[in-house]
Amino acid sequence: MKALVLAGGAGTRLRPITHTSAKQLVPVANKPVLFYGLEAIAEADIVEVGIIVGDTAEEIREAVGDGAQFGLKVTYIPQASPLGLAHAVRIARDFLGDDDFVMYLGDNFIVGGIRSLVDAFRTDRPDAQILLTRVTDPTAFGVAELDAAGNVVGLEEKPLRPKSDLALVGVYLFTPAVHEAVRVIEPSWRGELEITDAIQWLIDHGRTVRSTAISGYWKDTGNTADMLEVNRSVLETLDPFVHGRVDQGSEVIGRVVIEEGAEVVGSRIVGPVVIGEGTVVRDAYIGPYTSVSAHCLIEESEIEYSIVLRGSSVRGVRRVEASLIGRDVEVTPAPRTPSAHRLVLGDHSKVQISS
């Protein structure tokens, strides 16, 4: 069995972060989202992985390499433009061959991994297996319609009038039967080859399509709010340790990771929090659900429920919360401008001015 990981796409919902960085490499608890997916694939005893890459191909290649750090063998498959998930399957045909495969969206996050799902698929081998979860806004996802017996009877991609609240999670399992489907379907109204249309083709042609309702935690980390929520979820599972330096004037409370070379001086840290290597926290407060990456500076500031990327500084800022701060960013107080009243008053006027 092989894996196909999608790591292309423009990441428009995470701009401006994704103007200069791949969305799959934005860190959660100081580790890129993509790495969690690759680790889940390795834990499912899958070794051969094809990664679909686009404009950020070089950045993805630099981060993942040949896959050896995950116990994987990685092949990179260029996609000139993001033309849909089924298009990704189509261009990966030579890599996939006649093997079963799992398709994993590189910006998705699933707690608990996919091993049990893959094992069940290996045993039963339906032509396709999808994961479903209930969502409040189905119009933003692929949506499945089930019959009274729980069988998948229909699928739509981002429907204007959803027939259910069951959204497709970004993990799919296929036998080679899907290749015929992706070869014959036409682009949707969005101009993309939709994987939902390919699965619908399988259903219409009598193929076996099964669904599994996901019971664990799942997020599509496509926007800032979801990134922060996933960061919160991962930080809650931290195994705390302090490998950096914490002076006697500092207070560290709860589940906190302070990595090698980090320094905490005269500060208060309330976990769950992770502080990256070489970062300095001085005369500051770092509150729960905050990830500060490597070689940052947090000084005379308060920050909580936020993600700070490598090389950034937050200095002299009274309060920062629910924020995603990119790489090599400087956050400082705005300069104080003198306040003044400009008046033109006639004779014998009386004016009251608040001081």
Side-chain angles (χ1 to χ4, degrees), residues 1 39-46 102 104 110-126 129-131 171 173 210-216:
M1 192 167 186
E39 290 170 354
I41 288 166
E43 289 167 1
D45 294 328
I46 298 172
V102 55
Y104 197 116
I110 300 175
V111 169
I114 59 171
R115 184 181 184 115
S116 60
L117 178 74
V118 171
D119 287 346
F121 182 84
R122 282 175 167 141
T123 300
D124 299 333
R125 292 196 72 233
Q129 183 149 353
I130 58 177
L131 272 68
V171 177
L173 296 106
R210 294 183 181 169
S211 67
T212 301
I214 189 169
S215 57

Side-chain angles (χ1 to χ4, degrees), residues 28 69 121 127 140 202 254 274 279 282 314:
V28 168
Q69 62 179 309
F121 182 84
D127 294 295
L202 293 173
V274 58
T279 285
R282 183 182 296 117
V314 181

Side-chain angles (χ1 to χ4, degrees), residues 62-351:
E62 184 178 351
V64 177
D66 63 2
Q69 62 179 309
F70 307 100
L72 303 173
K73 296 178 181 178
V74 169
T75 299
Y76 293 96
I77 304 168
Q79 185 181 36
S81 56
L83 297 177
L85 303 187
H87 180 260
V89 175
R90 182 183 287 186
I91 65 173
R93 182 69 176 90
D94 289 344
F95 165 77
L96 293 170
D98 292 325
D99 292 308
D100 296 349
F101 67 98
V102 55
M103 183 168 70
Y104 197 116
L105 274 58
D107 59 352
N108 275 227
F109 183 89
I110 300 175
V111 169
I114 59 171
R115 184 181 184 115
S116 60
L117 178 74
V118 171
D119 287 346
F121 182 84
R122 282 175 167 141
T123 300
D124 299 333
R125 292 196 72 233
D127 294 295
Q129 183 149 353
I130 58 177
L131 272 68
L132 301 176
T133 190
R134 296 192 183 278
V135 296
T136 55
D137 181 16
T139 62
F141 302 94
V143 174
E145 181 184 4
L146 307 184
D147 64 16
N151 300 310
V152 183
V153 295
L155 295 163
E156 290 182 282
E157 186 64 33
K158 297 180 174 62
L160 298 177
R161 296 178 178 83
K163 295 178 180 178
S164 81
D165 62 353
L166 292 169
L168 277 73
V169 174
V171 177
Y172 309 78
L173 296 106
F174 297 109
T175 68
V178 75
H179 294 301
E180 183 179 1
V182 302
R183 187 173 65 249
V184 300
I185 61 171
E186 298 291 335
S188 68
W189 61 270
R190 300 195 307 153
E192 297 186 3
L193 292 174
E194 310 286 4
I195 199 65
T196 46
D197 289 345
I199 299 171
Q200 185 66 55
W201 187 94
L202 293 173
I203 294 170
D204 294 342
H205 287 77
R207 300 286 191 159
T208 304
V209 176
R210 294 183 181 169
S211 67
T212 301
I214 189 169
S215 57
Y217 181 86
W218 165 79
K219 275 289 184 183
D220 169 5
T221 61
N223 59 50
T224 300
D226 286 339
M227 284 295 304
L228 293 173
E229 175 61 17
V230 170
N231 192 61
R232 180 200 63 76
S233 177
V234 175
L235 289 177
E236 286 185 335
T237 67
L238 279 181
D239 292 324
F241 63 80
V242 176
H243 291 168
R245 174 179 171 267
V246 179
D247 78 341
Q248 292 184 347
S250 296
E251 185 179 18
V252 176
I253 301 171
R255 191 177 287 114
V256 175
V257 167
I258 301 175
E259 296 182 355
E260 190 76 35
E263 186 175 2
V264 178
V265 180
S267 298
R268 187 168 189 259
I269 301 175
V270 180
V273 165
V274 58
I275 298 173
E277 63 177 7
T279 285
V280 175
V281 180
R282 183 182 296 117
D283 300 327
Y285 166 77
I286 299 182
Y289 308 120
T290 302
S291 297
V292 182
S293 192
H295 305 294
C296 294
L297 171 63
I298 311 295
E299 185 175 50
E300 296 181 349
S301 300
E302 298 179 2
I303 186 167
E304 186 170 304
Y305 193 64
S306 295
I307 299 172
V308 183
L309 274 59
R310 174 182 290 267
S312 293
S313 62
V314 181
R315 294 177 295 152
V317 179
R318 185 164 56 182
R319 186 75 173 177
V320 175
E321 61 182 29
S323 298
L324 175 56
I325 298 172
R327 296 177 295 186
D328 300 313
V329 170
E330 295 183 8
V331 180
T332 58
R336 292 187 177 182
T337 56
S339 57
H341 301 281
R342 187 170 298 173
L343 308 172
V344 178
L345 303 174
D347 296 347
H348 310 297
S349 296
K350 291 183 179 180
V351 178

Side-chain angles (χ1 to χ4, degrees), residues 339-341 351-355:
S339 57
H341 301 281
V351 178
Q352 293 181 331
I353 297 176
S354 299
S355 58

